[in-house]
Amino acid sequence: MMFSSTVLVLGIVLALAENVAADARYGKDQEVLRRACPDYTSYATFRHSPYSEGPLKLPFQRPAEACRTFTSSIIDQAIGDITARMVDKDLAQLFQNAFPNTLDTTIRWHSNGSTTTASPPTTSTGRSRRDTSLWEGPQTFIVTGDINAEWLRDSTNQLAPYQAFAKDPSLHTLILGAISTQAEFVIQSPYCNAFQPPPPSGLSVAVMQDYDDVHPVYDPLAVFECKYELDSLAHFLALGNRFYESSGSKEFLTSRWYKALDTLTAVLDAESQPTFNSHGGFQPNTYTFQRRTTASTETLGLNGNGNPLNSGTGLIRSAFRPSDDATIFGFFIPANAMMSVELRKAADVIETARGDMSLVENLRQRSRTLRDAVWEHGVMNHTKYGSVFAYEVDGYGSRVFMDDANIPSLLSLPLLGFVDQNDDVYRNTRRMILDQGGNPYFLTGSDFHAIGGPHIGLRNAWPMSLLVQAMTSDDDSEILKCINAVRNSSRLGLVHESINVNDIEDYTRSWFAWANSLFAQTILKIAMEKPQLIFGSAEPYTVPGKS
């Protein structure tokens, strides 16, 4: 009875929004329309017309135009160009919903640098916040979806499919703003992974109840959660590197970005230290984390230090994985590989900008050290699969053989640019992690199969891993099998966080912007490189303005 009442109330709200939308088309106040917009977390849990013409009849899940958080004519054009050529109408509908999902729903604040916030920023309790003078130039705050906070990793990946269109003026400024905002986050709290709305946004923050004992301490008015994840810092670099690769612009190389880079490298140095000094004495890590919890994946053992790590490896510690789960052994190989790539790319950008050559060489040396360390300490001999990349190591010989769906992962190493997908060690690793006998988190059931992870549990696999599998394969049948499995499990017209392998109707998060952006990336890559798989013809899709 409660469920029926909820549906009825939501239906009334949606009907009112549609009525207001009709009025707005006749010139009524747009602000009235925005106030009538339904909460997208609820909206995304219901099917909306028009439905696709394919057998799945997938719903249309974009919010009304006036309810969208950012609009881009070039993205709308791309959606029309691509979906018009797609043979599979269900797949086309999913792409139409997923590609703009981050723009439609998660851009909570964007300033082009020429406007100021009229209302004074406050917390949900009314307390004033810090000085805003450092937040200069374009700024963009991007939430992960149903949580009003920005993750460095998620926001970088949410913007990834738009990077190819970064020469478009509006997207150019949006992404430039995202880089600037992330730089401020890194400067103020480089060990943290998720952040509150920036002070000049005027958005209120909800201070989380404090269950964490973290060092270095952080400001809860600025930080949503402070789990140190090496990949978060690598993603900060990746956001700027991808922007340069797509647009050729070096505008993001501001004094604040360089300060963020200096802050980042200081963390890398601190987290390269072993657990014991040269005399065998214990030295506490700069970063410690303890949470009052019953879940072992949510805290670090040994008074917040985590398991011991050996000296002389050249690897950098990561206390948590990109799933926000605690590492078992702190030398998390995918993040070290990613950081190696992004340091090298950052050095290349700085060099093209005629930057400090001593800094360029320093970054390149760091990159080489990490690359060599991953190959020396991250590659292990498996009795069944041969030489493979381990997921985590400790430098003492201990290792974890597994993979998780969240990126960076072992499966994603070619996408990260660390290794060619035809490399023998990667191919061995791929066989291991896509085999239930080799990866404990390769989950299979009657309805679905993919890589999962401990974050959700042992029944739920993540569609994201199938998308990474498709993007790291040259096999047409494997690619189609992966994207079709994602399509078939997305009955609400959006890609979920995870799916119960025995029941595709049982999922976590109807609205997960990162997963939808990754699906869009996958379709764009296929449209450009293997168009015959989705278009039925060999003519590739070309981004407007690119040859």
Side-chain angles (χ1 to χ4, degrees):
M1 190 67 179
M2 184 179 297
F3 176 77
S4 299
S5 299
T6 302
V7 173
L8 177 61
V9 170
L10 184 59
I12 293 172
V13 171
L14 297 179
L16 287 173
E18 290 173 359
N19 288 338
V20 176
D23 288 342
R25 283 193 289 271
Y26 288 95
K28 294 287 181 81
D29 188 1
Q30 291 290 317
E31 184 58 33
V32 174
L33 173 57
R34 280 190 287 273
R35 288 199 299 268
C37 293
D39 174 62
Y40 194 77
T41 303
S42 299
Y43 185 88
T45 62
F46 294 88
R47 294 165 56 86
H48 307 281
S49 62
Y51 302 103
S52 63
E53 297 177 0
L56 295 179
K57 305 296 181 186
L58 295 184
F60 179 77
Q61 297 292 67
R62 297 189 68 180
E65 188 169 345
C67 297
R68 297 170 189 173
T69 57
F70 190 87
T71 58
S72 169
S73 58
I74 195 170
I75 295 303
D76 286 338
Q77 177 188 336
I79 292 169
D81 292 343
I82 292 172
T83 56
R85 296 182 57 194
M86 293 178 73
V87 175
D88 186 326
K89 298 307 177 184
D90 290 322
L91 200 66
Q93 182 83 312
L94 186 56
F95 178 76
Q96 181 174 213
N97 294 330
F99 188 18
N101 188 245
T102 283
L103 299 181
D104 284 352
T105 64
T106 69
I107 312 299
R108 289 293 166 84
W109 175 63
H110 172 60
S111 169
N112 62 14
S114 63
T115 58
T116 57
T117 303
S119 57
T122 61
T123 71
S124 57
T125 59
R127 288 185 286 170
S128 61
R129 297 176 66 196
R130 60 175 52 149
D131 175 60
T132 63
S133 61
L134 299 179
W135 300 84
E136 298 177 347
Q139 301 287 334
T140 308
F141 178 67
I142 305 168
V143 300
T144 188
D146 53 2
I147 302 174
N148 192 43
E150 175 172 332
W151 269 252
L152 297 180
R153 168 186 56 257
D154 289 45
S155 57
T156 293
N157 286 296
Q158 286 169 244
L159 290 174
Y162 313 128
Q163 291 276 18
F165 303 83
K167 289 185 177 180
D168 172 76
S170 64
L171 290 178
H172 185 95
T173 305
L174 181 78
I175 299 171
L176 185 62
I179 300 170
S180 298
T181 299
Q182 283 200 8
E184 296 299 334
F185 289 155
V186 170
I187 291 169
Q188 67 187 13
S189 299
Y191 282 94
C192 300
N193 58 321
F195 296 85
Q196 304 278 17
S201 70
L203 299 172
S204 63
V205 304
V207 179
M208 300 291 287
Q209 191 169 0
D210 186 13
Y211 289 109
D212 299 342
D213 181 8
V214 183
H215 184 273
V217 296
Y218 62 88
D219 180 358
L221 300 183
V223 171
F224 180 83
E225 183 178 61
C226 197
K227 289 180 173 178
Y228 161 60
E229 299 160 354
L230 179 60
D231 77 277
S232 290
L233 297 177
H235 274 99
F236 163 66
L237 294 180
L239 183 59
N241 291 335
R242 291 175 182 173
F243 180 67
Y244 169 73
E245 291 167 357
S246 297
S247 69
S249 173
K250 299 181 281 287
E251 293 173 75
F252 68 92
L253 297 178
T254 64
S255 60
R256 300 299 289 172
W257 185 88
Y258 278 110
K259 184 173 179 61
L261 178 63
D262 289 342
T263 306
L264 181 155
T265 54
V267 171
L268 302 189
D269 290 339
E271 296 306 312
S272 297
Q273 302 305 308
T275 303
F276 303 101
N277 61 31
S278 58
H279 302 291
F282 168 64
Q283 49 184 18
N285 197 282
T286 301
Y287 172 87
T288 58
F289 181 101
Q290 287 183 291
R291 172 172 291 180
R292 282 174 278 168
T293 178
T294 58
S296 62
T297 55
E298 288 296 313
T299 192
L300 298 177
L302 296 172
N303 296 317
N305 284 277
N307 288 320
L309 300 173
N310 206 354
S311 62
T313 64
L315 294 167
I316 301 169
R317 175 200 189 213
S318 185
F320 290 87
R321 300 168 178 171
S323 59
D324 297 336
D325 294 332
T327 53
I328 297 172
F329 300 123
F331 291 144
F332 175 51
I333 294 303
N336 276 268
M338 182 180 183
M339 182 59 79
S340 171
V341 172
E342 300 305 335
L343 287 170
R344 173 179 53 80
K345 289 184 175 182
D348 293 344
V349 178
I350 295 170
E351 183 177 32
T352 63
R354 301 180 183 274
D356 182 350
M357 287 307 298
S358 63
L359 174 60
V360 169
E361 183 48 41
N362 177 277
L363 295 177
R364 285 179 176 157
Q365 182 56 52
R366 289 174 182 274
S367 173
R368 288 191 292 267
T369 298
L370 271 184
R371 180 197 63 203
D372 293 345
V374 169
W375 282 104
E376 180 179 356
H377 299 281
V379 176
M380 300 282 183
N381 183 60
H382 193 287
T383 56
K384 180 178 179 180
Y385 303 98
S387 292
V388 298
F389 289 104
Y391 191 66
E392 295 168 359
V393 301
D394 63 358
Y396 290 102
S398 300
R399 73 276 193 190
V400 176
F401 286 139
M402 62 164 278
D403 203 20
D404 191 289
N406 288 266
I407 303 168
S409 60
L410 294 179
L411 189 61
S412 70
L413 288 177
L415 289 183
L416 303 177
F418 184 76
V419 68
D420 186 89
Q421 66 189 44
N422 293 315
D423 177 86
D424 287 341
V425 176
Y426 174 73
R427 289 170 66 87
N428 290 344
T429 306
R430 186 184 179 89
R431 286 193 301 112
M432 176 182 71
I433 59 183
L434 294 178
D435 180 359
Q436 196 169 30
N439 178 10
Y441 295 103
F442 184 81
L443 308 177
T444 64
S446 58
D447 281 11
F448 193 69
H449 71 275
I451 296 173
H455 192 69
I456 302 298
L458 298 175
R459 293 186 179 90
N460 283 47
W462 295 50
M464 287 203 306
S465 69
L466 288 173
L467 298 171
V468 173
Q469 183 181 347
M471 285 195 284
T472 53
S473 175
D474 282 327
D475 186 298
D476 290 358
S477 62
E478 181 181 15
I479 294 170
L480 285 173
K481 184 177 180 180
C482 289
I483 62 173
N484 289 343
V486 173
R487 175 203 63 196
N488 293 342
S489 66
S490 304
R491 299 301 175 88
L492 285 175
L494 294 166
V495 182
H496 302 305
E497 178 188 47
S498 73
I499 305 286
N500 184 325
V501 294
N502 293 312
D503 181 5
I504 59 172
E505 300 290 347
D506 180 12
Y507 58 84
T508 59
R509 285 182 165 166
S510 57
W511 174 35
F512 187 37
W514 179 9
N516 285 286
S517 283
L518 189 61
F519 176 79
Q521 264 186 282
T522 306
I523 296 300
L524 284 170
K525 187 174 189 292
I526 295 171
M528 294 175 187
E529 299 176 5
K530 289 180 173 286
Q532 70 279 3
L533 297 185
I534 57 174
F535 294 154
S537 71
E539 182 182 354
Y541 171 73
T542 303
V543 173
K546 288 193 174 185
S547 56

